[in-house]
Amino acid sequence: MLTTDALPSLPVFEIPVHLHGDYPQWLTNRICAGEGTHVVTLNAEIAMMTQRDPAIATVIKQADLVIPDGAGVVFYLKLKGKNQARFPGIELAEAMLARAAKNHWQVVFFGGAPGVADKAKDKWLRHYPQLHITTQHGYLTPETEQAWQITLQDLQPQLIFTCLGVPKQEFWIRHHRHLCPHSTWLGLGGSFDVWSGLKQRAPKLWQQLHLEWLYRLLQEPSRWRRMLAIPQFVWRSLWS
């Protein structure tokens, strides 16, 4: 059985961000070893949430892998002398889906509005027809949630992608990991919306200029209050 070494980390506002050159391979080793993993994708907005709510900070600190999803987090690490590349959660998920197809892993898409996870599944089956994907939207009643938990226990998938929004998805994963203790649980926010075609991800140039947050704001102007976390994060980073 394979085992994985603990990763070095550097705290971003007391949240340990794990440093590695190949997160997909590290997770693959964990899956092959049967080691369960909770993955958090940290950006400036989530980092500022942890400053306001100790419960969110606690659940993220307890995750097995925290990756630098946002440009702000990479900026902070650079201020501390660490040149860690940004790795968006959606790209980590896509890399893991390619490995799932190759290794015949079971995958779960959980979250989003009714029908969205199904459309995301259809997109990926066009790329990898051999994928095994089970879907469930995120609008659960007490009755359907109980049935969904039983389904997860029966499936014991290698990968569980959870798109319930931050911080709901992090709490859901933390409270339900015992159902699939050997699975890799990854909170992915709005990734199903992108994969399904409901929303568009920023073009590559915007990503390279670290302006993906601005592109999303232009798509969803109602997010402007949440985006105030970005200048707050930068200010705090400079004075930390």
Side-chain angles (χ1 to χ4, degrees):
M1 178 179 289
L2 294 171
T3 57
T4 52
D5 295 327
L7 293 178
S9 65
L10 193 148
V12 175
F13 304 164
E14 301 179 357
I15 302 298
V17 174
H18 296 100
L19 311 175
H20 199 265
D22 193 342
Y23 295 113
Q25 186 57 53
W26 189 82
L27 281 176
T28 298
N29 292 344
R30 297 270 295 188
I31 291 170
C32 291
E35 299 179 67
T37 309
H38 176 193
V39 184
V40 170
T41 62
L42 190 71
N43 59 24
E45 182 182 346
I46 300 172
M48 293 309 297
M49 283 184 189
T50 67
Q51 298 301 287
R52 297 189 297 269
D53 191 332
I56 298 173
T58 296
V59 75
I60 293 179
K61 287 177 183 179
Q62 292 173 342
D64 304 286
L65 178 65
V66 179
I67 67 172
D69 177 280
V73 174
V74 170
F75 169 73
Y76 183 96
L77 295 174
K78 185 167 289 190
L79 288 177
K80 300 300 181 181
K82 295 293 183 181
N83 290 316
Q84 174 67 48
R86 177 182 176 231
F87 207 127
I90 192 170
E91 294 179 11
L92 176 60
E94 290 169 355
M96 297 311 294
L97 284 171
R99 292 167 187 245
K102 180 179 179 181
N103 293 288
H104 306 287
W105 293 340
Q106 291 279 347
V107 182
V108 162
F109 285 4
F110 170 46
V116 172
D118 293 325
K119 289 181 180 178
K121 171 184 174 179
D122 292 342
K123 176 256 177 77
W124 282 107
L125 288 180
R126 290 194 293 272
H127 285 275
Y128 304 111
Q130 69 273 39
L131 272 174
H132 303 282
I133 302 175
T134 300
T135 64
Q136 171 60 54
H137 65 72
Y139 290 73
L140 299 176
T141 65
E143 294 76 18
T144 55
E145 176 155 358
Q146 184 177 10
W148 177 234
Q149 291 183 32
I150 293 171
T151 298
L152 285 176
Q153 283 185 302
D154 291 341
L155 280 173
Q156 295 299 313
Q158 279 75 29
L159 292 168
I160 304 174
F161 294 166
T162 307
C163 290
L164 300 175
V166 180
K168 183 179 179 181
Q169 64 194 18
E170 280 68 39
F171 286 117
W172 206 95
I173 292 170
R174 181 61 184 168
H175 294 154
H176 295 87
R177 278 187 68 182
H178 67 279
L179 299 173
C180 303
H182 305 294
S183 299
T184 291
W185 300 72
L186 178 54
L188 286 175
S191 295
F192 295 163
D193 289 339
V194 175
W195 292 342
S196 68
L198 190 64
K199 295 178 183 176
Q200 288 187 331
R201 195 178 173 201
K204 287 292 184 183
L205 179 60
W206 289 62
Q207 296 177 37
Q208 292 167 359
L209 293 174
H210 305 302
L211 293 174
E212 198 164 1
W213 62 272
L214 178 58
Y215 188 87
R216 188 169 184 184
L217 180 60
L218 293 174
Q219 284 190 312
E220 303 175 68
S222 61
R223 294 177 59 89
W224 71 270
R225 289 184 185 276
R226 295 176 59 179
M227 292 299 181
L228 292 176
I230 295 175
Q232 293 170 359
F233 178 91
V234 172
W235 178 258
R236 176 153 185 172
S237 297
L238 291 172
W239 286 95
S240 67

